[in-house]
Amino acid sequence: MATSSEFSAGGVVVRDAECVVIVPTRRAADGSKVLALPKGHPEQGESAADAALREVREEAGVDARLVEQLGDVRYWYMREGRRIAKVVSFFLLEYLSGEVTDHDREVEHARWLALERAARELTYKGERDMASRALLRLRSA
């Protein structure tokens, strides 16, 4: 079976005890809606951190400041008969400005959610883990 790899970057944008979550227009493999963190592929020459900041602006409508890298999520998925190894680097980001209603067309809606709830309710375990890491980081600050 053919395999390839992909890289994306995303952010856990925090404001007080909340973070931004999105519902992308793309559904899960079973057709259900996904509750996710904003993320996407870096553009040519763009660092992972810059890609995370841009994706947060595009998908969630907010501008943020880089605090630190939270870690990587690694998983496999299938697309068009190819097995793809995916790595997503997530960053802790501090909200600066913007409105979650100002997102792009790839997103059905974006909203603020209590970070504790995000750590329980995000669709994918890796993203729940990143929300948990952000929560621990904020509690230790």
Side-chain angles (χ1 to χ4, degrees):
M1 173 180 301
T3 63
S4 60
S5 61
E6 279 186 9
F7 176 79
S8 290
V12 180
V13 182
V14 296
R15 174 184 75 180
D16 301 320
E18 297 179 312
C19 73
V20 173
V21 296
I22 63 169
V23 175
T25 55
R26 181 179 287 177
R27 301 291 184 239
D30 66 2
S32 63
K33 288 186 179 184
V34 172
L35 184 64
L37 296 169
K39 62 187 168 298
H41 299 97
E43 295 177 353
Q44 187 169 359
E46 189 175 45
S47 72
D50 287 342
L53 291 166
R54 179 183 47 75
E55 289 291 340
V56 159
R57 176 67 189 103
E58 291 173 2
E59 293 188 346
V62 299
D63 290 304
R65 177 185 70 80
L66 176 66
V67 177
E68 65 185 40
Q69 185 167 2
L70 287 170
D72 293 341
V73 174
R74 298 171 189 276
Y75 57 94
W76 291 89
Y77 74 96
M78 295 290 294
R79 181 175 57 213
E80 298 171 359
R82 296 181 69 86
R83 190 168 180 204
I84 300 172
K86 177 98 180 217
V87 176
V88 184
S89 289
F90 279 97
F91 297 85
L92 178 59
L93 307 174
E94 180 183 22
Y95 169 80
L96 294 174
S97 64
E99 295 296 327
V100 292
T101 55
D102 187 27
H103 57 76
D104 68 15
R105 292 183 295 163
E106 294 178 5
V107 173
E108 192 172 301
H109 71 268
R111 64 186 166 105
W112 290 99
L113 182 67
L115 198 47
E116 285 187 7
R117 283 188 60 195
R120 292 189 313 267
E121 296 177 13
L122 287 163
T123 300
Y124 300 114
K125 181 187 181 312
E127 293 189 12
R128 291 191 304 270
D129 291 346
M130 293 299 117
S132 293
R133 287 184 187 186
L135 188 59
L136 288 172
R137 169 64 171 81
L138 294 176
R139 285 181 175 162
S140 68

